[in-house]
Amino acid sequence: CFCVPLRYGLLVWGYLKLLPLLALFTTLILELKRFLDYQSASETHNNIGVPPSIPILFTIIIVEIIFSIVLLIAGHLKNAILFKVYYYYSIAMAVIFIICYAVFIIGFIVLTYSNPFMYMLLMYVVQIVLFGAAVFVLHIYITILVRSEMLKLRDNSNFSFVNHAAEAQCTMTYGKETV
C-alpha cells in the first residue's frame, strides 16, 4: 500500500482522505452562510430556503469524516475492532455506490431514448462513468487492505523477515511459539 507497510499506508490514506473532506466541509459551510446571507438581504421575499440536497450532502460528508477518523484511530492504536467497523462501513458504502451508479446509468439510458439531444452529453457521461469506476476500484482496494490489516491484527502473529546481505533470517511468533 503506497510502497510502505500496510498499516502506515492505511494511515497515509486516512489522512489523504480526511484533509480534502475537511476542506470540502469548510467550503460548504462558508458557501451556505454566504447563500443564507444573500437570501436574507434580498429585496424580494421569495426566500426559497435551503435546498433539500444540502442537508443530505452535509450528512454524507460528516459520516465520511467520522469514519476517516475511525480509520486513523484504528491505524494508530492497531485496534482490530475499529478496523472491523470501518470495513463494514466500507462494504456498505460500496453497495450504496453501486446502487446509485446503476440508477444514474439507467436514468441516463431512459433520458437518451426519450430525448435525442441527450446524445450530445454522451461524452460527459462516459467520463463520469469512467471516473466512477476508477473511484470504485480504489475504494475496493482500500477495503481489501483494511481487511488484510484486520485479519493480521486478529491473528496476532508477529511475522518478520530480516534480510541482510550476509545473512538471512526469518522469524515467526505465533502465540508462545517462535519458529
Side-chain angles (χ1 to χ4, degrees), residues 6-99:
L6 180 60
R7 188 171 59 86
Y8 294 124
L10 289 172
L11 286 170
V12 168
W13 172 252
Y15 284 114
L16 287 176
K17 186 177 175 186
L18 183 63
L19 293 176
L21 282 171
L22 291 173
L24 177 64
F25 185 70
T26 304
T27 303
L28 283 175
I29 288 176
L30 294 174
E31 288 299 315
L32 181 62
K33 182 185 179 320
R34 194 175 86 179
F35 172 76
L36 293 175
D37 288 346
Y38 172 76
Q39 194 175 31
S40 65
S42 175
E43 295 289 326
T44 63
H45 296 289
N46 295 335
N47 291 340
I48 58 172
V50 176
S53 60
I54 298 296
I56 294 170
L57 186 60
F58 271 108
T59 303
I60 291 170
I61 293 173
I62 289 170
V63 168
E64 283 287 329
I65 289 171
I66 289 170
F67 278 100
S68 292
I69 292 171
V70 167
L71 177 64
L72 290 171
I73 292 171
H76 282 291
L77 298 179
K78 297 182 182 178
N79 190 324
I81 294 171
L82 289 178
F83 272 120
K84 191 176 213 176
V85 168
Y86 185 84
Y87 176 68
Y88 287 134
Y89 159 76
S90 186
I91 290 174
M93 288 304 291
V95 169
I96 291 169
F97 182 83
I98 289 172
I99 291 169

Side-chain angles (χ1 to χ4, degrees), residues 155-166:
D155 291 341
N156 198 17
S157 64
N158 297 324
F159 183 79
S160 65
F161 184 77
V162 178
N163 188 7
H164 298 286

